[in-house]
Amino acid sequence: MPRDARPGLWFEQAAQDLRYAIRALAKRPGFTAIAVLTLALGIGATTAIFSVVDAALIEPLPYPSSDRLALLWSEFRSGGQSRVPASGHELTEIRQRSRMLAEVGGIWVANGSLTGEGEPEQVRTAFVTANFLSVLGVSPQLGRVFTASEEGPGSPRVLVISDGLWRRRFGADRSIVGRTIRLDGQASQVVGIMPPRFELIFPGDASVPSDVALWVPFRDDIAALPRDLSYLRMIARLKPQVRLGAAQAEVTAIAAALRSEFQEYARQGLDLDLVPLHRDVARDIRPILLALFGGVAMVTLIACANVANLLLARATSRGKEVALRSALGASRSRLARQLLTESMLLALLGGALGAAIGGSGLRLLLAIRPAGLARIDGAGLHPVVLAVTLLTSVGTGLLCGLAPVFAIRRREPAEVLHERSAGASQNRRLQGLLVGSEVALGFVLLVGSGLMVRSFVGLLAADPGFRANGVLTFQIALPEARYPDDSSRQRLFRGFLERVRAIPGVQSAGAVSHLPLDDDPNWYESYAPDGAAPDWKAEFADHRSTLPGYFRAIGATLVEGRDFALTDDREHPNVIVVDDSLARRTWPGQSALGKMLRVTFIHEGSFDVTRAEVIGVVRHIRSHALGSDGRAQVYVPYLQSARVQLGFVVRSETPPSDLLRQIRRETAGIDPELALSKVRGLSDYVDAARHSIRFTMVIASALAGLALLLASIGIFGLVSYTVAARTNEIGVRMALGSGRSAILWMMLAQILRLTAAGLAVGLVASFGLTRFLSALLYGVQPQDPATLAAAGAVLATAALLAAWIPARRATRVDPMVALRNE
C-alpha cells in the first residue's frame, strides 16, 4: 500500500500541523496575543448580539405549540386604520364561522383595586373570554382555568391570579385557591394560580401589558354589545395541519360575509388580518436587532481583515522557510493546510476568549435594554449561542487564513529563494486591499452610529407638546361596586382634585383618562364633522376625558378658545376640545371654535355618539411616541363623560417624596380603600420613550468605536510593515537626496490613497445599507450629508494619525546603515 494511502495518515498529518502551529505561535507571543485579542473582540461582540437576537427573534414563545398562535387584527379600510381591536360581536361571529381556527379568545386590560387583606392595591386586571388562557395552552400551577359557564351575565365571580401577586400579597399560601378576595369591592373566588414565569407576550400596540396580575372572565354578554364598539384583542390557535395562508383566506371570507350582513361592518370596511404571534411580537424590535447584528458582522469582518494582514506579513517574513519546505517535497496543499491550521488555532483561541467577552457584553446589554426588549431577559450563552460562536470562530479562521495561503500559491520556490523581498510587493497590494476593506466597513458603521446619535439628539430636543419637569403623576381606579354610577365617580374625583390643589406648594393639578406616553390601553374612535357628506372618509382620533385644569398642569398650549370648566357637566350642552392637527384636517383655513363634531361620549357605561361643540383648540400632544405625531386627539369633559380610572397630573415645587406623602394622606382621608398606582414623574415617561433609541445609539456607537480602533490598528500595522520592508529603498532614496518630508509624504500618500478608495466604496455601500435604518431614525435622513462628511473626516483623521508614527520612523532611517545592509 502506498504511504500516501495509509489509513489514518490525514489525522497523523493534522496532529503534526497542530503541534507545529502551537510551537510557532508560542515563539511569537506578542503576535499571538494581538491576533487572538483582535478576533476575540469581534467574536465576543457577535456572541453578545446574537444571544439577544436568538432570545427575541428565534426562540419560540413560552407557550405550548406557540407556532400555532396568531393574532387577529381588524382593519377598517374605509378609514385607513389597520391593527384595530375587535368588538365582542365580531369575535363571536368568527368563532362560529371558522373551521380552521381551533379556538379564538379575547382580552381587554384595565386596572382593578384589591382591598381587604393588606393595604389597598391597584393591579393590572385582564378581562378575558373564558377560553383565553386555554387558547394560550398554559396550565396553572395550582387550581384551574375558567369554564364556559363562568363567562357572561349572572356568572359566578371568579379569578385567576399571577404567581407574583400570590407570593407578594398572600405569602404563597396554597390555601388561597378556593377562597374569596375583594376585587373592586366585590368578593371573587380564586380558582387558579398561574406558573411562576408566565407572562402575556403581545406586541406593544396591542395594549396588553406583560405585568397582568389578575384574569377575570367577562361578565357582560360581549356579543350583545354594539358591533362598532372595538376594544378586544383577539388571539387564535390554528388547528393542526392548517397553514397560515389557508386560515387567512378563511378569515378574509368571514370579514366579507360580515360586511355584507351588518351595516356597522360595511361602514367600517371591515377586514381581518391573521398574524403569527411570534412574528408580531418582534415586529417593532426586529429592525433594531437586525441593524445591530449587521453592525457586529462588519466589526467581525474588520477583525478578520486585521488578523489576515498580520498573518500575511508573517507569511512574507517566513517566505524562505516556506520555499525551503516546498523544495524539500512539501506539497502546496500541505503548506496551505499548515497555514490554515495556524489561523484556525488563533480563531479558536479567540473564540474561547470571545465567549467570555460576549458573556460580559450580554450582561451590559441586559442592564441597559429598553422595556420593549423584555424578552431578552432569558438571553444567555445557551448551546445554540455557543454553537454560533464556534461556527463564527471557524469561519473567521478560514477567512484569516486565505490571505497567506493565496500569497504562497502565487510564488515559485526558486523565485523566493533567489529574491530578498520574497514577493513582498505583491503581498503589500493584498494588504492594502484588506486595509481598504476595513476603511469601507468602518465608514458604514460610523455613518450608522452618527445617524443614531443625531436621532437621539433630535429626540432630546423634540417637543412632546407638554412640559414634563416638576410634574408628579399617579393613577386611581375606582371600584365599580362602590362607585357604580357617573355621579359618584365625578363627585369623588372632583373633591379629591380640590384637596390636591389645596396642598401647599402645588401650582396646578388636573386629571386625564390616559396619561401621555403611558402604556395603558388606548381608546380611539371615529369622528365626523356635523353634517358630513355620506362619502366622508372616516377619521379616527384618540379620545381623552379630562377634569378642568389638566392642560395647565401638564403645560400644554391652548391655541384658541378655553379649557373645560366645572359647569361643563351633564346639565349643559356637550362640549369638546380638539388638538390643532384635527382642526386643520377637518376645517382647513378656518377657526374650529363653535364648530360641531360627532364624537363618542360615555354615559353610565353606555357609548353614545352625539354632537358636541368645539370650545377650545390645544396644541397636539405626542401621546404614544416622541418620534411620531400619532393620531389626532379629542378631549371630552369628565363631568360629561366619566371613566372608572383617571391619571392625575400635579405640578409642584415641593419635593416629590414630600408631595406624595401628602397626597396619600388626602387619598386616605377621602376613601381609605383607594390605592395609588404608577406613581412617577412625568419626565420618567419621556425618558422611557427615548430608551429604545438610546439603547440602539449606545450599542451602535460602541461598535463604530471598535471598528475605528481596529481599522486604525490595521493601518498602523500596514505602514509599520511597509517601512520595514522598504528600509533599503528608503535608504537609497535618502542617499540620492530625498528629504525627510518627501519620505514622510511617500508613506502617508499610500494610506491616503487606500483611505480614499475605502471611503468611496463605503459611501456607495452606505447608500444601500443605511436605508434599513430609516424606521429607527428621527429628524434625519439615511443619506444625511453632514453625517456622511463627519464620518469621512473622523475616519480619515484616524487613518492619518495611525500612519503618522510608523511613517515618522521611516524618516529616521540612516542611509549608510541601510546601504551597508544592502
Side-chain angles (χ1 to χ4, degrees), residues 265-280:
Y265 300 137
R267 185 173 63 250
Q268 294 168 343
L270 176 69
D271 207 345
L272 292 169
D273 191 17
L274 194 65
V275 186
L277 179 61
H278 187 282
R279 189 178 76 196
D280 214 10

Side-chain angles (χ1 to χ4, degrees), residues 508-531:
S508 57
V512 66
S513 55
H514 299 76
L515 289 168
L517 303 177
D518 192 11
D519 60 356
D520 267 345
N522 184 43
W523 180 36
Y524 62 94
E525 284 279 353
S526 61
Y527 66 90
D530 198 34

Side-chain angles (χ1 to χ4, degrees), residues 517-597:
L517 303 177
D518 192 11
D519 60 356
D520 267 345
N522 184 43
W523 180 36
Y524 62 94
E525 284 279 353
S526 61
Y527 66 90
D530 198 34
D535 61 349
W536 165 262
K537 183 180 179 180
E539 298 282 357
F540 290 80
D542 290 336
H543 278 49
R544 303 289 182 258
S545 180
T546 74
L547 281 169
Y550 167 69
F551 297 123
R552 182 184 173 211
I554 204 171
T557 302
L558 198 62
V559 178
E560 60 177 337
R562 66 174 178 87
D563 190 2
F564 300 124
L566 294 178
T567 54
D568 295 320
D569 55 21
R570 296 295 297 182
E571 304 301 321
H572 293 82
N574 292 332
V575 293
I576 55 173
V577 171
V578 300
D579 72 345
D580 53 355
S581 64
L582 186 148
R584 286 192 303 269
R585 184 182 306 147
T586 309
W587 303 286
Q590 305 177 49
S591 171
L593 296 184
K595 298 292 194 299
M596 304 298 292
L597 208 64

Side-chain angles (χ1 to χ4, degrees), residues 437-456:
S437 301
E438 292 183 50
V439 171
L441 292 171
F443 178 79
V444 174
L445 283 173
L446 281 173
V447 169
S449 172
L451 291 173
M452 297 311 301
V453 170
R454 291 202 61 186
S455 295
F456 182 68

Side-chain angles (χ1 to χ4, degrees), residues 87-256:
S87 67
H89 179 268
E90 184 182 334
L91 182 148
T92 305
E93 290 291 331
I94 294 171
R95 275 181 178 174
Q96 294 173 353
R97 297 170 188 247
S98 174
R99 298 294 178 266
M100 296 187 180
L101 303 180
E103 289 189 277
V104 182
I107 181 173
W108 176 69
V109 179
N111 282 335
S113 296
L114 278 179
T115 55
E117 301 180 28
E119 292 292 323
E121 180 181 359
Q122 283 196 32
V123 292
R124 298 271 198 186
T125 303
F127 294 90
V128 296
T129 54
N131 69 334
F132 177 81
L133 294 175
S134 299
V135 173
L136 294 179
V138 180
S139 301
Q141 60 175 312
L142 293 175
R144 60 175 177 83
V145 293
F146 308 121
T147 64
S149 62
E150 291 170 335
E151 179 185 348
S155 59
R157 294 185 179 273
V158 294
L159 49 80
V160 171
I161 66 176
S162 70
D163 178 81
L165 180 64
W166 176 52
R167 296 181 184 278
R168 184 184 72 251
R169 190 171 180 90
F170 303 106
D173 182 1
R174 299 174 69 89
S175 67
I176 192 69
V177 176
R179 284 167 42 192
T180 59
I181 61 176
R182 297 190 67 81
L183 174 65
D184 292 333
Q186 298 283 350
S188 301
Q189 184 184 38
V190 178
V191 297
I193 301 170
M194 296 306 289
R197 297 186 62 83
F198 173 77
E199 63 176 346
L200 295 177
I201 303 176
F202 278 67
D205 60 349
S207 299
V208 179
S210 61
D211 59 343
V212 168
L214 292 168
W215 290 265
V216 180
F218 286 111
R219 293 184 56 79
D220 295 322
D221 181 1
I222 61 173
L225 295 175
R227 298 187 188 104
D228 55 0
L229 178 58
S230 303
Y231 64 102
L232 286 174
R233 308 295 173 172
M234 296 187 293
I235 186 167
R237 181 175 287 274
L238 278 64
K239 288 183 177 179
Q241 310 307 319
V242 171
R243 294 184 177 274
L244 181 71
Q248 176 63 64
E250 181 188 61
V251 298
T252 299
I254 291 174

Side-chain angles (χ1 to χ4, degrees), residues 265-602:
Y265 300 137
R267 185 173 63 250
Q268 294 168 343
L270 176 69
D271 207 345
L272 292 169
D273 191 17
L274 194 65
V275 186
L277 179 61
H278 187 282
R279 189 178 76 196
D280 214 10
V281 166
R283 176 173 172 263
D284 292 333
I285 62 175
R286 183 181 287 108
I288 296 175
L289 294 183
L290 292 183
L292 293 179
F293 193 68
V296 81
M298 292 183 190
V299 169
T300 304
L301 288 175
I302 293 173
C304 286
N306 253 354
V307 175
N309 253 332
L310 290 174
L311 290 172
L312 190 59
R314 188 165 182 267
T316 302
S317 66
R318 296 167 61 190
K320 291 193 174 182
E321 172 200 337
V322 173
L324 185 60
R325 292 183 65 188
S326 180
L328 293 176
S331 66
R332 289 195 175 184
S333 61
R334 181 66 190 277
L335 292 172
R337 195 168 67 193
Q338 175 62 58
L339 293 175
L340 284 175
T341 300
E342 292 183 18
S343 68
M344 196 65 68
L345 180 58
L346 286 172
L348 292 175
L349 291 173
L353 180 58
I357 293 174
S360 300
L362 177 59
R363 286 191 291 273
L364 175 62
L365 288 177
L366 293 177
I368 64 173
R369 66 157 182 80
L373 283 176
R375 281 197 66 211
I376 73 171
D377 285 346
L381 301 185
H382 305 309
V384 172
V385 175
L386 292 177
V388 170
T389 302
L390 178 60
L391 289 175
T392 304
S393 302
V394 172
T396 55
L398 290 173
L399 286 175
C400 294
L402 287 178
V405 168
F406 181 72
I408 67 165
R409 292 180 68 87
R410 295 174 58 191
R411 305 292 292 167
E412 292 296 331
E415 294 179 40
V416 176
L417 289 172
H418 288 85
E419 293 180 21
R420 180 179 296 271
S421 64
S425 60
Q426 290 104 328
N427 288 352
R428 282 200 299 272
R429 285 195 291 271
L430 183 55
Q431 287 178 304
L433 178 63
L434 291 172
V435 168
S437 301
E438 292 183 50
V439 171
L441 292 171
F443 178 79
V444 174
L445 283 173
L446 281 173
V447 169
S449 172
L451 291 173
M452 297 311 301
V453 170
R454 291 202 61 186
S455 295
F456 182 68
V457 171
L459 279 183
L460 288 177
D463 182 5
F466 57 86
R467 293 182 291 110
N469 292 334
V471 176
L472 179 70
T473 70
F474 56 90
Q475 294 183 9
I476 296 179
L478 299 180
E480 292 191 48
R482 297 177 53 235
Y483 299 93
D485 51 39
D486 288 356
S487 60
S488 61
R489 297 166 191 165
Q490 292 164 344
R491 185 167 53 251
L492 181 133
F493 277 142
R494 178 176 169 178
F496 176 71
L497 189 58
E498 291 174 356
R499 286 176 174 238
V500 171
R501 287 173 176 160
I503 295 175
V506 170
Q507 298 169 324
S508 57
V512 66
S513 55
H514 299 76
L515 289 168
L517 303 177
D518 192 11
D519 60 356
D520 267 345
N522 184 43
W523 180 36
Y524 62 94
E525 284 279 353
S526 61
Y527 66 90
D530 198 34
D535 61 349
W536 165 262
K537 183 180 179 180
E539 298 282 357
F540 290 80
D542 290 336
H543 278 49
R544 303 289 182 258
S545 180
T546 74
L547 281 169
Y550 167 69
F551 297 123
R552 182 184 173 211
I554 204 171
T557 302
L558 198 62
V559 178
E560 60 177 337
R562 66 174 178 87
D563 190 2
F564 300 124
L566 294 178
T567 54
D568 295 320
D569 55 21
R570 296 295 297 182
E571 304 301 321
H572 293 82
N574 292 332
V575 293
I576 55 173
V577 171
V578 300
D579 72 345
D580 53 355
S581 64
L582 186 148
R584 286 192 303 269
R585 184 182 306 147
T586 309
W587 303 286
Q590 305 177 49
S591 171
L593 296 184
K595 298 292 194 299
M596 304 298 292
L597 208 64
R598 296 187 64 83
V599 296
T600 302
F601 279 66
I602 301 178

